[in-house]
Amino acid sequence: MASQVVKDSKIQELIELDKKHYIHPTTDPKLLAEEGPPIIFAGGEGIYADHVNGDRYIDGMSMLWNVNLGHGVAELADAAREQMMKIAYASSFKGFSNEPAIELAKKIADMTPGDLEAVFYTSGGSESNDTAFKLARFYWEIKGKPSKKKIIAVSNAYHGVTIGAQTATALQAFHEFSGSNIPGLFVHATAHLLNAEQGDKNDPQYEESIRAAIEREGADNIAAIIIEPVQGAGGVNIPPEGYLQAVRKLADEHDILFIADEVICGFGRTGTMFGVENWNVVPDLMSIAKGITSGYSQLGAVVMNKEFRDTLVSFEGVLAHGFTYSGHPTACAVALKNIEMLERDNVLDNVKAMEKVMRDGLAYLKEKHDIVTNTRVIGLLDAFDLREDRENDKTFAPEVKAAPTIVDECFDRKLILRPLGMDRIAIAPPLIINKEEVEKIIAIIDESITAFKNKLK
């Protein structure tokens, strides 16, 4: 009993210290300062993450869509330790290099589609997208087309929280946060307008399309188009068949670069190594991060095609862009081991198998609960919507907080999921999950929806 009292006292001390000293990202600061963190992670194994109080939770979101190989993987920890004992950090400035960074660059070149062949390292996804924007604009300067500055992004896009990436992000709370919106740099279009992007001017939403934006702005002023193969934080929105191909063709027609934001989709999340491979599209630039290390170390990169790389290295002078941790040897060593395990253990085969189990599970939820609609599954990047009246597509009133409430019910049952706004719930467990564990997730969601519906009575 005495030891339990000491443990409870320590947990309460941690909560109070967190409330006083720790400002959390993407969190309600007032609520957190009042209530403290809902969970303090202390350990994890496989798909499970452990609270400091000993409770074990299913990590149904791979934390932030990134712990692809699950928690507590000794091989990844050993790779980090082994590299740290050699040289933990080395600068990449002034042409300095290190073995893991070189080997990883070659591995990425080998595994990415088409002629993507060189990398610029960053510390994460926001930095990767910011870098892609900068390099795209710099590329056109080298090409003698300095007016090509603007970037086209689309609705419901999430590209990060650095000031450039946050300007590209089209989610209102992020796009407008504290003036995080660089005037004139980005043009926003409506996502997934297949017919319009193929040139159908009779499409009722044509004026909202990427194609119409190019016509208005002038191709000579557009540096690049950035697209998430599958939109993540914006709703887990899967594009219609032919859409990415249409955007790729549109970019080629107008001499505009195509950037694929693979930060969430990359490294197996959609059942292929990279999201664009579901549609056989090769971008000019690819932003990667998250799953490259399964979250075990901070690493991102921009992968560029041969022509882009050759243009970049034709520049004589200092490339005035870079990060302290670009090409971090320990992070690169972890990434190499992570990729080795993805390939060696046939993880993508498991993703495809679990995709079917998840699809069947969401179909079951939709059949049982009349508030569940628009279930969508691609690999282990999945979601469903909630409607008060799905036959008439009537949403719940915002004050009902349907998705957050159901996610809270799941949390009470030791499952971590993520609400996307008030009417969508995302599911993205570690890629090593098995059939029994997927079914357990579905069972908890089932119970949680029932509990929510009972509260409405």
Side-chain angles (χ1 to χ4, degrees):
M1 177 62 74
S3 62
Q4 184 61 46
V5 171
V6 171
K7 183 177 181 182
D8 291 346
S9 175
K10 177 61 177 176
I11 293 171
Q12 190 56 45
E13 180 185 356
L14 287 170
I15 290 171
E16 293 304 317
L17 289 171
D18 186 292
K19 289 163 63 175
K20 184 176 181 179
H21 299 294
Y22 191 177
I23 304 300
H24 288 251
T26 315
T27 299
D28 181 332
K30 186 175 186 294
L31 182 64
L32 188 70
E34 293 171 351
E35 299 184 2
I39 190 169
I40 301 173
F41 295 110
E45 180 181 11
I47 71 162
Y48 296 96
D50 300 332
H51 193 333
V52 70
N53 68 6
D55 288 344
R56 172 157 280 196
Y57 290 74
I58 297 174
D59 182 3
M61 282 304 300
S62 303
M63 288 296 162
L64 283 176
W65 330 78
N66 62 332
V67 187
N68 286 5
L69 291 184
H71 300 280
V73 180
E75 285 188 72
L76 295 178
D78 290 344
R81 183 185 187 282
E82 182 179 341
Q83 182 58 44
M84 285 181 173
M85 294 304 294
K86 294 177 182 176
I87 183 166
Y89 169 74
S91 170
S92 290
F93 284 30
K94 300 294 183 181
F96 291 3
S97 199
N98 64 81
E99 288 184 63
I102 296 168
E103 291 169 0
L104 179 60
K106 174 62 165 63
K107 181 61 180 176
I108 292 170
D110 288 344
M111 68 191 300
T112 47
D115 61 346
L116 295 168
E117 69 161 31
V119 304
F120 186 103
Y121 288 115
T122 73
S123 304
S126 295
E127 288 183 2
S128 293
N129 284 326
D130 249 25
T131 296
F133 303 148
K134 278 189 180 182
L135 293 183
R137 299 174 82 187
F138 185 55
Y139 167 89
W140 290 117
E141 289 177 11
I142 298 172
K143 288 284 195 179
K145 298 182 179 181
S147 66
K148 291 175 77 68
K149 296 288 189 189
K150 295 183 179 181
I151 313 290
I152 297 178
V154 296
S155 58
N156 298 314
Y158 180 87
H159 298 298
V161 294
T162 54
I163 195 163
Q166 196 150 343
T167 304
T169 292
L171 304 182
Q172 185 176 3
F174 290 91
H175 188 67
E176 297 179 354
F177 175 73
S178 189
S180 297
N181 186 345
I182 304 171
L185 174 56
F186 288 86
V187 177
H188 282 89
T190 296
H192 300 169
L193 299 179
L194 174 60
N195 293 336
E197 306 309 358
Q198 291 176 331
D200 181 5
K201 294 197 173 187
N202 293 318
D203 188 296
Q205 291 183 279
Y206 182 83
E207 291 303 316
E208 303 168 31
S209 69
I210 295 171
R211 183 176 286 274
I214 294 170
E215 291 170 354
R216 284 192 300 271
E217 300 290 334
D220 288 344
N221 297 314
I222 306 295
I225 301 165
I226 184 165
I227 299 283
E228 296 163 273
V230 178
Q231 293 184 324
V236 185
N237 303 313
I238 302 170
E241 283 299 321
Y243 176 75
L244 288 183
Q245 294 94 324
V247 175
R248 171 74 272 184
K249 184 178 179 183
L250 181 61
D252 289 339
E253 286 175 5
H254 294 281
D255 203 18
I256 294 170
L257 297 169
F258 183 4
I259 304 169
D261 179 350
E262 290 270 0
V263 172
I264 287 176
C265 296
F267 301 94
R269 176 58 58 187
T270 68
T272 55
M273 192 60 77
F274 299 99
V276 290
E277 292 177 300
N278 288 284
W279 296 279
N280 296 314
V281 167
V282 180
D284 301 300
L285 297 172
M286 178 188 286
S287 299
I288 56 176
K290 291 192 184 290
I292 191 172
T293 64
S294 285
Y296 280 64
S297 190
Q298 305 93 322
L299 184 66
V302 176
V303 195
M304 61 195 74
N305 67 21
K306 184 179 188 304
E307 196 277 332
F308 193 102
R309 177 262 174 202
D310 290 348
T311 299
L312 205 61
V313 302
S314 72
F315 175 73
E316 295 183 60
V318 175
L319 181 64
H321 179 68
F323 305 98
T324 297
Y325 296 111
S326 292
H328 193 291
T330 301
C332 290
V334 172
L336 282 164
K337 178 57 69 172
N338 180 71
I339 293 167
E340 176 190 324
M341 294 179 68
L342 281 171
E343 295 178 336
R344 181 196 72 199
D345 299 341
N346 300 315
V347 173
L348 268 64
D349 290 345
N350 186 65
V351 174
K352 282 296 189 184
M354 293 307 102
E355 176 184 58
K356 182 181 185 307
V357 180
M358 186 69 76
R359 182 174 285 109
D360 290 345
L362 292 184
Y364 164 78
L365 293 177
K366 184 177 179 180
E367 181 179 357
K368 181 174 179 181
H369 299 285
D370 59 2
I371 68 170
V372 173
T373 188
N374 193 24
T375 61
R376 47 212 185 271
V377 176
I378 181 167
L380 288 171
L381 182 54
D382 317 312
F384 60 92
D385 293 351
L386 299 160
R387 294 290 185 270
E388 182 178 6
D389 178 358
R390 72 182 179 194
E391 297 303 318
N392 294 299
D393 199 30
K394 180 184 178 183
T395 59
F396 284 97
E399 59 269 21
V400 174
K401 298 181 179 179
T405 301
I406 291 172
V407 166
D408 286 346
E409 291 285 349
C410 288
F411 188 79
D412 290 345
R413 292 165 175 78
K414 306 298 187 291
L415 167 64
I416 298 169
L417 294 181
R418 179 171 172 176
L420 302 176
M422 295 299 170
D423 58 6
R424 291 175 174 174
I425 295 176
I427 312 168
L431 308 186
I432 45 81
I433 195 168
N434 63 36
K435 183 175 184 290
E436 180 183 357
E437 292 164 339
V438 173
E439 290 173 344
K440 188 173 182 180
I441 287 175
I442 297 299
I444 293 174
I445 297 172
D446 183 11
E447 292 177 12
S448 300
I449 293 173
T450 298
F452 167 73
K453 290 163 70 176
N454 288 338
K455 286 181 178 179
L456 294 179
K457 293 178 179 178

